[in-house]
Amino acid sequence: RGFSGELASLQSIGYREAQAFLRGELSEEAAIEAVVLTSRQYAKRQRTWFRGIAGAHWLEEARWPVSLRREVLDCLG
């Protein structure tokens, strides 16, 4: 549609890899693997960053979704 691949919004996870796939630089399988890897790397950076926040309360995924609402409300209350 005429949007430049250089736009910041098109540099986010998934878009870069999709562009590389559409340009023929990556196979579909390689693009998917790259998205998975990049997503994991981003999540790791987020975990590292959040560890430095005093008072952060971690929500355990194993308890989702049944008690998630209650836990979030308890944290906010």
Side-chain angles (χ1 to χ4, degrees), residues 3 19 32 52:
F3 295 106
Q19 289 178 67
I32 291 169

Side-chain angles (χ1 to χ4, degrees), residues 4-57:
S4 167
E6 301 301 315
L7 289 171
S9 58
L10 295 178
Q11 294 300 310
S12 58
I13 296 171
Y15 284 97
R16 283 186 306 255
E17 296 81 6
Q19 289 178 67
F21 167 69
L22 293 172
R23 288 191 302 263
E25 297 168 2
L26 290 176
S27 67
E28 182 177 1
E29 183 178 300
I32 291 169
E33 288 176 14
V35 170
V36 169
L37 175 64
T38 306
S39 297
R40 285 184 181 149
Q41 290 170 336
Y42 183 68
K44 184 177 180 184
R45 285 193 307 273
Q46 286 181 316
R47 285 191 302 270
T48 300
W49 185 80
F50 276 113
R51 260 187 260 144
I53 296 178
H57 180 79

Side-chain angles (χ1 to χ4, degrees), residues 57-72:
H57 180 79
W58 294 97
L59 303 175
E60 298 296 326
E61 183 179 354
R63 297 196 320 248
W64 290 6
V66 176
S67 66
L68 179 60
R69 180 171 179 248
R70 186 175 317 120
E71 188 171 347
V72 169

